[in-house]
Amino acid sequence: MPSAPPPVRYRIVPHDRTAHRYEVSVSVDVPAADGQLFRLPTWIPGSYLIREFARHFVSVRATGNGQPVAIAKTRKDTWQVAPCAGPLTVTAEVYAYDMSVRTAYLDAQRGYFNGAAVFLCPVGHEHAPCIVDIVAPAGGDAATWQVSTTLLNEAAPDGGFGTYRAADYDELIDHPVETGVLATASFVAGGVPHDIAVAGRQQGDLPRLARDLTRVCQWQIDFFGGAPFARYLFQIAAVTDGYGGLEHRASTSLICRRNELPRVGDSGVSDDYLTLLGLASHEYFHAWNVKRIKPAAFMPYDLTQENYTRQLWAFEGITSYYDDLALLRCGLIDAPRYLELLARAITTMQRAPGRHVQSVGDSSFDAWIKFYRADENTPNAVISYYGKGSLVACLLDLELRRDGTSSLDVLMRALWDRYGKPGVGVPEGAIAALASELAGRDLDEFFKRYVDGVDELPLAAMLADVGVELTLRPSTGTRDRGGKPAAGPVERCTLGIRVGSDMKVGVVLRDGPAARAGLSAGDVLVAIDGMKATTDALAALAERGVPDADIRLHAFRRDELITVDVTLAPAPDDTCVLALAPAPSSAALARRIAWLGA
């Protein structure tokens, strides 16, 4: 029987909080004749873009038995150490000032790191156990800092700095660490302890958040028939303006605006709070769908290069469908409120010309080069596998519910039983085949048209089949996200552009009036019909302009003044409103109750 490999030892020190620097070392025993390679991942699961974490490594040095050893960078993510007698230690200085959930952050108030961004992997030792020493910061406030992570506690006080453990490198980089003065709360769902740790200044009602998340988590655990973890952690960074989340096997890192936390004394669910609940629900659902039910192309992950799949529409899109649906199913919101959220998702898709160009299957495959690298042409050429993927998931759910024998719920539980529990990757095409199996009829045409093709989703007809009415109207203004009826008739015009407060054109929408006239992204508007161009002037033009009227625009393209004549067009019907049909057929009502409970 082979002996267990010796552990790899890591040590991370908040070396300089003012300069945002961690000192991160890794120590491993190596034979004297070997020249050890060390590699850093270039991306992290759940964020499908080559992130090149090594760009934040300021310096790297090596010692063997306490003596300096030569080390050289051989690739953007790889370092080669000269042969030496072990133990070998490689120490890196890592710049950490990215306020995101993907990399690392350090200042006088907070420390955070995602393991993939800071921990070098000694090649050949990927399956060795990892011991991690998380060192407290120096300074007068160090005693007030806490540690929040789902790494196994090896020798650290509860919530404190000290030694933690991971079974191997993959596990090491799947348990991010939050440190600082943290506000905490705890709850139990499905018999499993859950913790909340909030960093940043805030005055949120954490007991209320814990109660509400208990309902969300319990519903999802019941949905899949049990929790796949022994403990779960919500790490939340509360900031002035920010949004994001990243799933991990037993935790999630979230960023939210301070006013998205529930306020003490409030009993309702505000739109702001609903945003946070939806984000938490989304990342929690990923504990099953992505972390354990995952594409075969990700089994195992190769974190040194792109891993291609056409299935992200299902893994992110289906998760996006269930994040708000879970809030309805667990009773935090009612059916009309859920339909408002669904209508907003439809509105976002309707305002994206890229839906006519790129399928969600292609969007999934090209995530590495398009979705996470947005530019001025993205709305015209790209569709979100999150947003449109969620609507394809909704459509698939309604399609499976037509004869009352199946649903997307049944499909997800089948995916869990067949692939998630046994740890088998989902092959390309398996979801379509499983859907046909559960429906008892061939659904290949559905997937050909709506996953691999760019046909318009027949949402109005399918929703009518479950007693929900869909209407489209023009937008009432830049803050209109859809979901609610307009106060009265909406008569507006459009130039087909999106302009910043500096009057710089950010986007020229495909086939719109400005595109046909020759205006381009990057042009800076200076005059509208001889008057100074301002955001107020553009708003007035949209509200009071006359369709088919000609408007003369003056703009700078780089340093050249250009003149463009644009013909105004009526604002498109791109804003969705959904409502429960007042008198659906008995069959439609039965399907609606089965879907929405109302």
Side-chain angles (χ1 to χ4, degrees):
M1 183 175 178
S3 59
V8 177
R9 188 108 198 184
Y10 290 89
R11 178 181 172 86
I12 181 163
V13 182
H15 179 63
D16 189 334
R17 288 186 284 171
T18 302
H20 318 294
R21 300 289 201 276
Y22 282 110
E23 184 178 86
V24 187
S25 63
V26 51
S27 299
V28 62
D29 287 323
V30 294
D34 286 357
Q36 180 66 48
L37 280 174
F38 290 82
R39 179 172 291 138
L40 194 69
T42 60
W43 65 283
I44 189 167
S47 183
Y48 308 106
L49 174 68
I50 297 298
R51 299 284 175 181
E52 298 178 331
F53 299 121
R55 65 194 178 96
H56 295 300
F57 276 46
V58 177
S59 64
V60 180
R61 66 183 187 274
T63 58
N65 278 331
Q67 300 300 313
V69 180
I71 183 170
K73 197 171 188 179
T74 59
R75 292 178 25 158
K76 65 181 179 180
D77 58 352
T78 306
W79 288 260
Q80 173 83 58
V81 181
C84 67
L88 170 66
T89 298
V90 172
T91 302
E93 182 184 357
V94 183
Y95 179 69
Y97 202 52
D98 178 18
M99 182 60 81
S100 79
V101 295
R102 295 178 296 271
T103 55
Y105 184 90
L106 181 65
D107 67 9
Q109 287 75 43
R110 174 183 180 247
Y112 172 85
F113 57 87
N114 206 323
V118 297
F119 291 137
L120 286 165
C121 179
V123 176
H125 298 259
E126 293 87 347
H127 303 297
C130 299
I131 306 297
V132 187
D133 294 318
I134 304 174
V135 180
D141 62 348
T144 65
W145 277 39
Q146 303 155 265
V147 176
S148 179
T149 182
T150 47
L151 284 168
L152 291 177
N153 191 323
E154 177 80 359
D158 186 33
F161 292 89
T163 305
Y164 293 81
R165 172 184 287 270
D168 54 26
Y169 185 79
D170 279 350
E171 183 175 300
L172 172 69
I173 64 173
D174 212 5
H175 294 274
V177 176
E178 182 77 61
T179 65
V181 179
L182 307 175
T184 61
S186 299
F187 62 93
V188 174
V192 175
H194 290 62
D195 296 300
I196 302 169
V198 183
R201 297 182 182 181
Q202 52 80 33
Q203 295 179 325
D205 185 347
L206 296 195
R208 161 80 187 280
L209 178 61
R211 290 194 301 271
D212 291 344
L213 286 181
T214 300
R215 297 170 70 171
V216 176
C217 297
Q218 186 66 59
W219 182 86
Q220 294 193 23
I221 290 171
D222 292 342
F223 180 85
F224 284 104
F229 38 72
R231 178 193 167 210
Y232 196 87
L233 169 65
F234 291 93
Q235 297 169 329
I236 303 175
V239 298
T240 301
D241 189 20
Y243 176 87
L246 187 61
E247 69 276 3
H248 298 277
R249 64 182 67 185
S251 64
T252 181
S253 295
L254 310 176
I255 292 180
C256 74
R257 291 182 290 118
R258 292 183 180 90
N259 62 2
E260 289 174 351
L261 289 163
R263 297 179 182 178
V264 175
D266 284 356
S267 58
V269 180
S270 67
D271 277 356
D272 286 334
Y273 183 35
L274 197 55
T275 298
L276 174 58
L277 288 174
L279 176 62
S281 176
H282 181 100
E283 303 303 340
Y284 194 74
F285 199 87
H286 272 323
W288 292 269
N289 192 36
V290 163
K291 297 309 297 183
R292 289 161 177 92
I293 309 169
K294 64 179 81 172
F298 293 172
M299 300 284 282
Y301 290 112
D302 181 352
L303 299 181
T304 68
Q305 63 182 355
E306 296 89 341
N307 295 190
Y308 293 102
T309 177
R310 295 181 61 81
Q311 299 184 91
L312 293 184
W313 73 268
F315 292 94
E316 292 292 355
I318 290 177
T319 301
S320 296
Y321 172 59
Y322 275 105
D323 57 22
D324 288 334
L325 189 60
L327 305 183
L328 169 68
R329 297 265 180 90
C330 77
L332 284 175
I333 59 175
D334 60 15
R337 190 78 177 278
Y338 171 71
L339 291 178
E340 181 181 340
L341 297 176
L342 183 60
R344 289 179 183 176
I346 296 171
T347 298
T348 299
M349 182 188 69
Q350 290 296 121
R351 294 175 180 176
R355 75 184 189 280
H356 299 299
V357 178
Q358 186 187 51
S359 70
V360 288
D362 288 341
S363 177
S364 301
F365 193 86
D366 281 341
W368 302 95
I369 60 171
K370 291 187 177 181
F371 183 74
Y372 283 104
R373 291 180 172 175
D375 59 24
E376 69 280 356
N377 195 47
T378 293
N380 295 319
V382 174
I383 193 65
S384 168
Y385 54 80
Y386 286 85
K388 187 175 180 182
S390 73
L391 298 176
V392 172
C394 178
L395 200 65
L396 179 58
D397 194 8
L398 300 180
E399 179 69 34
L400 290 171
R401 290 175 181 275
R402 272 189 165 181
D403 57 9
T405 60
S406 193
S407 68
L408 193 62
D409 299 355
V410 176
L411 187 147
M412 289 307 300
R413 286 189 281 266
L415 286 173
W416 175 240
D417 289 337
R418 296 187 188 187
Y419 300 102
K421 284 182 180 178
V424 178
V426 181
E428 302 292 315
I431 293 175
L434 179 57
S436 294
E437 175 188 328
L438 295 175
R441 60 185 186 279
D442 190 344
L443 294 182
D444 282 354
E445 187 66 18
F446 176 97
F447 287 88
K448 180 180 178 181
R449 295 178 66 185
Y450 307 127
V451 173
D452 296 318
V454 295
D455 287 15
E456 289 282 20
L457 303 185
L459 287 164
M462 294 294 287
L463 287 166
D465 200 42
V466 291
V468 174
E469 296 176 341
L470 183 153
T471 58
L472 293 173
R473 59 168 176 77
S475 168
T476 60
T478 56
R479 295 186 178 181
D480 184 359
R481 296 189 292 164
K484 296 180 180 179
V490 181
E491 297 179 358
R492 292 174 59 85
C493 291
T494 183
L495 290 172
I497 56 176
R498 298 173 186 171
V499 179
S501 59
D502 58 357
M503 299 311 296
K504 187 174 184 178
V505 178
V507 173
V508 178
L509 295 175
R510 184 186 184 98
D511 298 327
R516 291 192 293 269
L519 202 66
S520 297
D523 294 346
V524 179
L525 300 181
V526 294
I528 303 172
D529 272 347
M531 303 295 290
K532 183 179 179 179
T534 64
T535 53
D536 287 343
L538 279 178
L541 186 64
E543 292 173 7
R544 296 191 290 272
V546 178
D548 298 324
D550 291 329
I551 303 297
R552 174 156 291 184
L553 302 177
H554 287 86
F556 277 107
R557 179 169 296 170
R558 295 178 293 278
D559 57 351
E560 298 179 9
L561 184 66
I562 62 171
T563 302
V564 178
D565 292 322
V566 183
T567 300
L568 289 177
D573 291 332
D574 59 6
T575 305
C576 179
V577 179
L578 297 177
L580 298 173
S585 68
S586 58
L589 179 59
R591 284 190 289 267
R592 190 174 79 192
I593 291 173
W595 178 43
L596 300 180

